[in-house]
Amino acid sequence: MERTIRKNASVRTRDGVRSRAGVNATITTARRRLAATIALWLAAGLAILALPASAGPGVASLSPPRKVLIVVIDRIGLGDLSEANSPNILRLAERGGVALMNARVRYDVYGQGGYVILGAGGRALGGFNSGLAFNSGELLQTPAGDYIRAGDLYRARTGRRAAKGSVVNLYIEEMRKKSDVPQAGSVPGLLGEAVRKGGKRAALVGNADSLAPATQVGAGYQAEPVEPIENTPGSYPEATLLHREASCIAMDENGLVPSGNVSSDLYTVSRSAAGLRTDFKRLVVESRAELATSDLLVVDMGQTSRVDEQAAFYSDKALDSARATALGECDRALGVLVELIDTSRDMVVVCTPTPTRKMIADGDLLTPLVVAGPGFTPGRRLGSPTTRRVGMVSNYDVAPTALGLLGVDIPAEMAGRELASSSAGADLAGLERFEERATGASNSRKAMVRVYVITSMVLVSLFFLLFLLREDMLSRHRFFWSLVMLYLLAGPLAYLVVPSFGIPRLNWLVPVAVGASVLLALAARLFKPRRRSLTPEGESAPAMLRPLLALSGATLLVILLDILLGSPLMSFSPFGSDVMLADRYYGVGNLYMGFAVGAALLFACLLITVLGKSLDRPWKRYAICGAVLAATAFIVGFGRLGANFGGLIAALAGGLVALVRLEGGRIGLKKAAFVVTVLVVCVAVLLAADMVLPGMSSHAGKAFSRAESSGASALLSQVSRKLAGTWSLTFASIWRLLLLLLVVFGLVLNNRFHYFRRIARELPFLYAGFIGMAVALPVAWLFNDSGIEAAAGISVFLFVPCFLLLVSMLEFGEQPEGG
């Protein structure tokens, strides 16, 4: 009976009423569930409230991951863009920014190396075969007629396995070996490697394969022969030239792209001169699929490259039509791809790794770059800390920009910096004018340098021979020969100012620059007192000191002002660094650095010499001379201004020696130790400021920053690259001939006439400047990768004034000692 009652107490009765025990159990369970629910909601609320403070960055993870789409439309120029054939590119530029990208590839070849640079974010070497990329499952035919999968061949060559669906570059080991040299500061595939290590995924779609007669196939191309058409007499086989260099952008350091398609499925055979045509519909479909599963997608449109590859087969009219058609097709496909991207979150990059063949022949190596995405102000020109120029960037900068958006650490080996919008509007016409001027300056540089150097060598040689053989001809024509020496000193100033008046073209630049040099020399020649200047000791000094003072002062002033204003004159000067060849984008180049150091030492020491009795205390002379030399060293060497580290060392070394020698006496061990100590302290302070201050740093600052993260090997690589450049240019630059000539002639004439001894006695302050230049000359040569140019620039302001003083001695009937 009891067991029956207990059983009935836990079940529902027939009329639907629970027993008291059952009701109590139900209430207890409900209370427990309610308490657990309330506790869960409280915990969730506390977590949400604490989330912004403790895990702010984690909020971003709730949003879709950012993506980067890099679209390659190769072998076009800025002038090819128009509303007729590239409206989507222009609209994308309005949504983001546009710039000219320097496609210069040093130590490599065009058409292959540019892609390697884009993927390395710095200087890396590729070669003719860098486009040998395949889907891992593609079949390659062996000489025996058998077939092997590209993935199996890749594994045999590298010992690494390629996953199904991946893309392999069979030339990766050769590229790695080529880049294992001091000239290469980065490594191939660094962008893809950083993406992989950052937990992101890269993909690749597209190729630029072209079809050509078999006789066109030369060394360095991997060709796939096309079988003759069956039952068609007179048919001839053609070969497919593999151009899959876009793999070098997306691959990692092992030559692998995790996913993608670069096969022949992406093009069809056409009757056009290009032979092949991109299947844009399939390209877009596969790009859409890859974009859904990848973080970085590289798409090679291919068609503009094919047209330019076969440019020699077209007439000019047919080539223009084919180029416009190809660009229009690429632009329409771009318009579809951009619709798949949200530029408020994702980034689109449209780049041209290689100029057209005609552009390369014309010396124009600047190609269009368009970027749209978060952080880029619509309708602006792009800028970069690499170039410090508005509207001009480097091909080094694409990879760091992509990694920055993906939130991936940028490797220290990458020399490029992230792109940013500038305050200037996207004026394409203005960019074209800059491109034209830069091209003209680059093309005229070699010829103008030869004009100055060869003219100087001829005039100095004639002067030397007359002094040794027919001194009477010099004494009878003193005005003419003093004008010749001043003409040589006026050259750097004239060549700096003249190109600013228009597009540098040889047909007018040569006569105008030469004429300007003559006018400057004539004006300086007439700038002298009616009576002789006096030294502090009261002895007569040559009257040519004031013309030398005027020319050296004007040259120094214009160079320093140009540096402070961002080097607008040096950018297009034949003596400036060639921005087209990526020698130096900002600051002062080595040649004008040498002119600045030489002019500063000459001007500072001449100034206190000419002022004479007004400087009756040594501290006054030290103050004036030191101020000029310190300002020159700072402006030339500081990373935010001239950014020439070798120039900083040369200016400090020469200036300190001149100051120590200013009041006479020998430079003993204590003075030498003082000079070295002050030099090291000044260099260390400026270098530390360059690295610590926010913003852009100089090449030296970047090198030391990379050394901090990559170890001393990065710094040693930079030093070895500089030394290698110094050594090679010493025997290649035409400036070495002028330097050698001035040094030999100067020493021979001094050995005969002892003019240095006389200058030391009668013009001790000027002699201190000459000693400073003699020290700065070898220092500039050693501490710059093109130091021979800097040394030659200093030698002009060292020896030409000495020759001018010899003429001045003849003018006043004074015989040089030993003459």
Side-chain angles (χ1 to χ4, degrees):
M1 175 66 69
E2 184 178 0
R3 183 178 302 172
T4 304
I5 294 174
R6 289 179 179 176
K7 181 178 181 180
N8 291 338
S10 62
V11 296
R12 188 178 298 272
T13 60
R14 289 182 180 180
D15 58 0
V17 180
R18 282 185 178 273
S19 65
R20 181 174 298 178
V23 171
N24 291 338
T26 301
I27 292 174
T28 302
T29 303
R31 287 175 177 175
R32 290 176 179 175
R33 290 178 179 175
L34 179 61
T37 301
I38 293 173
L40 181 62
W41 279 103
L42 287 175
L46 292 174
I48 293 174
L49 291 175
L51 186 60
S54 61
V59 176
S61 64
L62 300 177
S63 62
R66 290 182 170 184
K67 297 180 182 294
V68 174
L69 172 63
I70 300 178
V71 180
V72 175
I73 305 179
D74 205 15
R75 299 200 181 256
I76 63 172
L78 187 65
D80 293 321
L81 304 182
S82 67
E83 284 293 341
N85 57 18
S86 54
N88 291 304
I89 297 178
L90 297 180
R91 278 195 290 270
L92 190 65
E94 293 175 356
R95 293 168 59 180
V98 63
L100 290 166
M101 184 181 75
N102 192 309
R104 167 66 173 169
V105 183
R106 301 187 68 177
Y107 314 108
D108 212 332
V109 294
Y110 293 103
Q112 291 81 29
Y115 293 84
V116 180
I117 293 290
L118 286 171
R123 188 180 290 114
L125 307 184
F128 283 105
N129 295 314
S130 59
L132 295 183
F134 301 89
N135 294 354
S136 61
E138 281 191 275
L139 297 177
L140 282 72
Q141 188 175 9
T142 67
D146 300 326
Y147 292 91
I148 183 174
R149 293 186 183 277
D152 295 336
L153 182 58
Y154 171 82
R155 185 173 185 177
R157 287 186 173 184
T158 66
R160 292 180 288 269
R161 181 180 176 275
K164 183 179 180 180
S166 63
V167 175
V168 295
N169 192 307
L170 299 182
Y171 194 62
I172 183 61
E173 293 301 324
E174 288 82 350
M175 279 190 279
R176 291 161 64 114
K177 293 173 184 176
K178 280 178 174 288
S179 298
D180 189 19
V181 293
Q183 291 82 2
S186 186
V187 294
L190 194 56
L191 171 60
E193 184 73 11
V195 169
R196 182 182 65 81
K197 289 182 177 179
K200 306 293 183 177
R201 184 178 177 85
L204 168 67
V205 176
N207 64 63
D209 295 354
S210 64
L211 201 63
T215 54
Q216 185 186 353
V217 182
Y221 287 99
Q222 178 74 22
E224 294 180 347
V226 178
E227 295 296 332
I229 303 175
E230 294 183 3
N231 303 321
T232 304
S235 64
Y236 298 94
E238 290 190 312
T240 303
L241 306 182
L242 298 182
H243 285 292
R244 301 170 181 183
E245 289 84 10
S247 62
C248 297
I249 303 177
M251 69 183 184
D252 59 20
E253 292 183 11
N254 296 323
L256 281 170
V257 184
S259 179
N261 186 1
V262 296
S263 71
S264 59
D265 296 339
L266 296 173
Y267 56 73
T268 59
V269 178
S270 70
R271 295 182 181 274
S272 66
L276 302 177
R277 178 184 176 276
T278 299
D279 186 345
F280 287 100
K281 183 176 181 180
R282 180 159 187 172
L283 182 78
V284 169
V285 169
E286 298 216 9
S287 298
R288 179 186 288 111
E290 293 292 350
L291 195 60
T293 59
S294 62
D295 303 285
L296 170 69
L297 174 62
V298 177
V299 178
D300 187 359
M301 294 293 186
Q303 197 59 27
T304 51
S305 301
R306 294 188 182 100
V307 172
D308 194 68
E309 178 76 19
Q310 308 298 330
F313 294 162
Y314 289 91
S315 65
D316 292 341
K317 183 178 180 180
L319 179 61
D320 291 340
S321 176
R323 192 185 301 280
T325 300
L327 181 55
E329 292 175 329
C330 296
D331 184 80
R332 285 189 290 273
L334 172 68
V336 178
L337 291 177
V338 170
E339 293 301 320
L340 306 176
I341 291 292
D342 180 5
T343 53
S344 65
R345 182 189 71 240
D346 306 323
M347 179 187 293
V348 181
V349 178
V350 180
C351 64
T352 300
T354 319
T356 67
R357 291 177 180 269
K358 185 178 184 305
M359 290 172 64
I360 294 173
D362 293 342
D364 182 3
L365 308 179
L366 302 179
T367 61
L369 176 72
V370 177
V371 180
F376 290 94
T377 306
R380 299 291 184 181
R381 292 187 187 182
L382 300 173
S384 163
T386 304
T387 63
R388 301 188 190 178
R389 293 180 180 274
V390 175
M392 181 179 177
V393 301
S394 170
N395 50 3
Y396 292 175
D397 300 324
V398 174
T401 304
L403 294 177
L405 182 116
L406 293 175
V408 175
D409 292 337
I410 300 174
E413 295 87 349
M414 284 189 175
R417 293 295 183 268
E418 294 184 62
L419 300 170
S421 298
S422 69
S423 58
D427 178 16
L428 296 184
L431 290 178
E432 287 191 63
R433 287 193 297 270
F434 176 87
E435 182 179 12
E436 187 178 2
R437 292 194 65 191
T439 304
S442 179
N443 291 338
S444 64
R445 187 174 191 269
K446 182 180 291 186
M448 290 303 297
V449 166
R450 289 181 179 275
V451 168
Y452 177 81
V453 171
I454 293 176
T455 302
S456 300
M457 291 173 61
V458 170
L459 293 175
V460 170
S461 298
L462 184 59
F463 173 83
F464 176 75
L465 292 176
L466 289 178
F467 231 119
L468 292 181
L469 304 177
R470 293 292 303 274
E471 186 179 318
D472 59 307
M473 295 186 65
L474 291 176
S475 60
R476 289 200 302 266
H477 303 284
R478 294 183 298 270
F479 182 87
F480 171 78
W481 284 105
S482 62
L483 191 65
V484 167
M485 295 298 113
L486 291 173
Y487 163 82
L488 299 181
L489 285 179
L493 179 58
Y495 279 50
L496 181 61
V497 175
V498 166
S500 64
F501 292 98
I503 304 299
R505 300 187 187 279
L506 283 176
N507 57 353
W508 71 267
L509 185 56
V510 171
V512 173
V514 172
S517 300
V518 173
L519 291 177
L520 286 172
L522 184 61
R525 180 66 176 81
L526 299 177
F527 182 71
K528 64 177 184 177
R530 295 182 179 179
R531 59 186 181 85
R532 304 180 189 182
S533 303
L534 296 178
T535 63
E537 291 78 12
E539 299 179 3
S540 62
M544 292 307 299
L545 296 186
R546 287 183 181 270
L548 285 174
L549 179 69
L551 264 184
S552 60
T555 301
L556 177 64
L557 178 64
V558 174
I559 292 176
L560 296 185
L561 285 177
D562 190 52
I563 295 174
L564 293 174
L565 295 175
S567 306
L569 298 180
M570 294 183 202
S571 298
F572 306 110
S573 170
F575 287 173
S577 295
D578 196 337
V579 297
M580 189 69 69
L581 300 181
D583 289 337
R584 173 181 284 270
Y585 293 111
Y586 55 83
V588 58
N590 289 328
L591 186 55
Y592 269 115
M593 177 271 287
F595 290 141
V597 172
L601 286 163
L602 181 62
F603 173 74
C605 295
L606 275 174
L607 184 61
I608 60 176
T609 299
V610 171
L611 290 178
K613 292 183 178 180
S614 59
L615 302 178
D616 55 350
R617 293 290 187 273
W619 70 265
K620 295 181 180 180
R621 295 190 285 269
Y622 280 120
I624 292 178
C625 191
V628 173
L629 297 177
T632 301
F634 178 77
I635 295 175
V636 165
F638 185 52
R640 297 330 190 252
L641 298 174
N644 194 311
F645 185 69
L648 170 65
I649 298 176
L652 286 174
L656 289 170
V657 168
L659 289 173
V660 168
R661 189 63 178 75
L662 201 61
E663 295 298 324
R666 298 176 61 87
I667 300 179
L669 185 60
K670 290 185 178 180
K671 290 183 178 180
F674 171 77
V675 169
V676 172
T677 302
V678 175
L679 175 64
V680 171
V681 170
C682 291
V683 170
V685 169
L686 287 180
L687 186 60
D690 187 31
M691 296 173 61
V692 172
L693 291 177
M696 302 168 290
S697 60
S698 64
H699 295 169
K702 293 176 184 177
F704 278 94
S705 298
R706 285 196 295 269
E708 286 182 347
S709 56
S710 302
S713 60
L715 184 60
L716 292 176
S717 176
Q718 180 82 356
V719 172
S720 63
R721 185 162 61 250
K722 293 288 185 181
L723 292 177
T726 299
W727 183 255
S728 61
L729 284 174
T730 297
F731 296 97
S733 174
I734 192 175
W735 289 99
R736 78 190 189 282
L737 302 178
L738 180 60
L739 173 62
L740 181 63
L741 198 71
L742 289 174
V743 171
V744 171
F745 288 177
L747 295 179
V748 170
L749 289 177
N750 180 66
N751 184 64
R752 177 168 179 177
F753 298 108
H754 306 291
Y755 58 80
F756 274 131
R757 183 188 305 171
R758 181 168 179 177
I759 292 173
R761 184 178 67 250
E762 298 183 5
L763 304 167
F765 303 145
L766 180 58
Y767 182 72
F770 287 157
I771 295 296
M773 280 186 267
V775 172
L777 191 152
V779 172
W781 174 70
L782 288 173
F783 285 90
N784 291 277
D785 49 0
S786 56
I788 191 68
E789 296 183 355
I794 296 175
S795 70
V796 170
F797 284 88
L798 171 58
F799 292 104
V800 172
C802 293
F803 300 157
L804 186 59
L805 290 178
L806 283 176
V807 176
S808 179
M809 293 174 188
L810 294 175
E811 182 177 356
F812 291 99
E814 303 170 358
Q815 290 296 322
E817 294 183 11

